[in-house]
């Protein structure tokens, strides 16, 4: 029986990548050493880092002359602090779109920075069942506008970047390289790797080089994009293994045809699940259809006992980790890049059969 893992994160990785890791774990490229034992000052690592950066920029259609790639630690959560510390230097004022839990977390961390004004300019609270529209009137005196492009918990996503005359900072953690945004519209993008790219322990930051030059020099080194960039992400020991896996995943993604091609597959996967929800009265999803996420699909039967039966029986059928987030309850299917179309088909079939079998219990 095939096993499909719908976990929200740390998430599933492509099987060919896992196989390659296994095959070369004890001997990295003929060195006789494991990638787990390679020095971050070795030529093997320097080459690996350069390849990973190049592949990432290629997939995002960004130029190496314009954007710097950083491989950091501390998760997306540390970026909630680093982004304002480094970027909010002119107006000391930042604008946030409150689209859900992670946007609220990002705002709460920014508010802890002394002398920084944090404005919520759009909000989908309290239900977070849509993506709020941003309308800024007059000259906006903000250092940037912060967006969380996909809401991992509530299952909403931003499909069209707002037309604002402000630098954009994006938390792309949960749909990073899964949806094809015009990445060059962002001043800075960050993403925790464990949703779409690599195991936990790596955070990717892509930042405009012109901004790096304007950043403060008086920040502690590990909080300074400028100092981290000057040492090419190896100011201290970087997460070598995670960067190695990221490089393999990026190569795999290039083989799939790139971000636009994987987005097309992701649309098919999501459509299968949304159709199963919409074509019955058995399941519900609260999100406005235009704002539905491609990567995280929350749904419920409306009955918590029946939801629990669904989760248990799905697991017995090899459909793992469908339990919803503790804030929302119900179920959630996460359909990251590494989830094959067959996994979504299997879930759709299971949902339709389960609805038939349990119709009279509602
Ligand atoms: C998972 C997630 C985070 C948290 O990431 P960490 O790397 O665990 O800090 C932040 N933002 C979004 C959108 C997420 O999905």
């Amino acid at each position: 029986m095939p096993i499909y893992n719908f976990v929200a994160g740390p998430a599933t990785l492509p099987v060919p990548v896992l196989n390659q890791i296994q095959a070369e774990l004890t001997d990295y490229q003929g060195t006789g050493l494991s990638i787990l034992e390679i020095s971050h000052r070795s030529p093997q690592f320097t080459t690996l880092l350069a390849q990973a950066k190049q592949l990432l920029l290629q997939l995002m259609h960004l130029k190496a002359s314009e954007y710097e790639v950083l491989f950091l630690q501390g998760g997306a959560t540390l970026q909630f602090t680093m982004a304002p510390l480094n970027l909010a230097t002119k107006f000391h004022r930042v604008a946030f779109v409150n689209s859900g839990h992670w946007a609220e977390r990002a705002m709460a961390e920014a508010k802890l920075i002394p002398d920084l004004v944090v404005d919520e300019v759009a909000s989908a609270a309290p239900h977070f069942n849509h993506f709020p529209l941003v309308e800024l009137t007059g000259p906006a005196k903000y250092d940037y506008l912060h967006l969380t492009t996909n809401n991992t918990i509530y299952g909403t996503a931003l499909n069209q970047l707002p037309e604002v005359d402000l630098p954009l900072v994006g938390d792309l953690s949960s749909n990073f390289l899964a949806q094809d945004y015009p990445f060059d519209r962002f001043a800075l993008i960050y993403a925790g790797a464990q949703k779409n790219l690599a195991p936990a322990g790596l955070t990717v930051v892509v930042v405009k080089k012109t901004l790096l030059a304007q950043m403060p020099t008086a920040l502690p080194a590990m909080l300074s994009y400028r100092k981290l960039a000057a040492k090419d992400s190896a100011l201290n020991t970087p997460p070598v293994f995670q960067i190695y896996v990221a490089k393999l995943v990026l190569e795999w993604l290039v083989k799939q045809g790139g971000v636009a091609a994987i987005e097309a597959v992701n649309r098919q996967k999501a459509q299968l699940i949304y159709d199963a929800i919409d074509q019955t009265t058995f399941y519900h999803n609260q999100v406005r259809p235009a704002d539905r996420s491609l990567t995280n699909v929350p749904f419920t039967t409306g009955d918590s006992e029946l939801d629990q039966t669904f989760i248990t029986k799905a697991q017995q059928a090899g459909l793992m980790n469908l339990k919803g987030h503790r804030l929302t309850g119900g179920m959630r299917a996460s359909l990251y890049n590494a989830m094959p179309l067959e996994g979504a088909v299997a879930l759709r079939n299971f949902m339709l059969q389960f609805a038939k079998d349990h119709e009279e219990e509602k």
Side-chain angles (χ1 to χ4, degrees):
M1 177 176 72
I3 302 283
Y4 296 109
N5 185 1
F6 295 92
V7 72
T12 177
L13 287 162
V15 173
V17 167
L18 294 175
N19 287 335
Q20 188 175 347
I21 296 168
Q22 185 182 43
E24 58 189 20
L25 190 64
T26 54
D27 181 6
Y28 181 66
Q29 297 190 343
T31 54
L33 302 173
S34 170
I35 186 66
L36 295 164
E37 312 163 325
I38 292 264
S39 163
H40 59 292
R41 306 290 175 207
S42 66
Q44 286 85 12
F45 177 71
T46 313
T47 305
L48 171 66
L49 183 75
Q51 288 171 336
K53 287 171 69 169
Q54 187 273 325
L55 283 162
L56 190 68
L57 291 173
Q58 176 194 330
L59 282 161
M60 298 173 88
H61 303 294
L62 296 175
K63 293 196 186 81
S65 58
E66 291 174 13
Y67 282 87
E68 184 61 71
V69 177
L70 300 171
F71 292 113
L72 309 179
Q73 300 184 61
T77 302
L78 186 58
Q79 297 312 308
F80 299 163
T81 302
M82 279 179 76
L85 273 184
N86 285 273
L87 293 172
T89 54
K90 193 171 168 199
F91 301 111
H92 304 282
R93 221 183 163 94
V94 290
F96 274 80
V97 176
N98 182 5
S99 50
H101 173 79
W102 291 113
E104 290 193 321
R105 291 278 303 273
M107 245 186 313
E109 292 294 300
K111 282 180 182 164
L112 295 174
I113 295 176
D115 305 320
L116 180 70
V117 180
V118 177
D119 280 353
E120 185 180 288
V121 295
S123 175
H127 300 301
F128 299 112
N129 57 357
H130 64 284
F131 205 100
L133 193 67
V134 187
E135 284 169 317
L136 292 173
T137 46
K141 298 245 183 288
Y142 293 112
D143 287 299
Y144 61 82
L145 174 70
H146 183 278
L147 300 165
T148 309
T149 51
N150 183 78
N151 295 294
T152 330
I153 293 172
Y154 297 101
T156 63
L158 175 65
N159 292 312
Q160 190 100 46
L161 298 185
E163 293 300 329
V164 291
D165 188 18
L166 280 176
L168 298 181
V169 169
D171 176 358
L172 271 65
S173 295
S174 54
N175 64 354
F176 189 52
L177 308 180
Q179 192 159 340
D180 198 18
Y181 291 104
F183 297 108
D184 61 353
R185 291 222 20 229
F186 286 93
L188 184 139
I189 287 168
Y190 62 89
Q194 69 275 15
K195 309 275 164 60
N196 259 314
L197 190 62
L202 174 68
T203 313
V204 174
V205 172
V206 181
V207 57
K208 256 193 186 147
K209 284 189 167 170
T210 51
L211 286 176
L212 275 178
Q214 299 162 17
M215 287 177 189
T217 48
L219 288 176
M222 289 302 284
L223 298 175
S224 164
Y225 293 131
R226 200 172 165 155
K227 292 176 188 173
L228 290 157
K231 298 286 181 185
D232 205 6
S233 300
L235 190 150
N236 69 334
T237 316
V240 172
F241 180 73
Q242 278 79 351
I243 295 169
Y244 157 73
V245 177
K247 188 213 136 195
L248 299 185
V249 170
L250 293 169
E251 284 173 342
W252 173 84
L253 201 48
V254 169
K255 273 199 207 131
Q256 309 309 303
V259 181
I262 204 91
E263 177 182 330
V265 180
N266 289 339
R267 283 196 184 280
Q268 282 181 300
K269 285 161 19 188
Q271 199 60 49
L272 285 164
I273 308 307
Y274 287 120
D275 283 351
I277 294 167
D278 294 342
Q279 284 165 11
T280 65
T281 52
F282 193 82
Y283 302 106
H284 313 282
N285 165 283
Q286 302 300 332
V287 176
R288 185 162 75 189
D291 296 338
R292 281 172 162 181
S293 167
L294 298 183
T295 42
N296 308 96
V297 184
F299 59 99
T300 169
T301 63
D303 173 334
S304 59
E305 259 178 54
L306 202 51
D307 286 350
Q308 192 46 56
T309 308
F310 180 100
I311 293 160
T312 307
K313 288 206 168 164
Q315 189 171 333
Q316 288 160 3
L319 308 172
M320 316 303 276
N321 290 308
L322 283 160
K323 190 172 169 20
H325 192 273
R326 64 195 146 73
L327 288 176
T328 55
M331 285 76 80
R332 171 173 53 171
S334 293
L335 308 167
Y336 297 117
N337 284 347
M339 172 60 65
L341 185 62
E342 296 78 40
V345 171
L347 176 57
R348 187 269 317 260
N349 292 345
F350 178 86
M351 287 171 74
L352 296 178
Q353 188 58 48
F354 186 89
K356 259 192 210 148
D357 295 347
H358 295 268
E359 196 75 67
E360 73 292 347
E361 289 167 44
K362 287 190 77 177

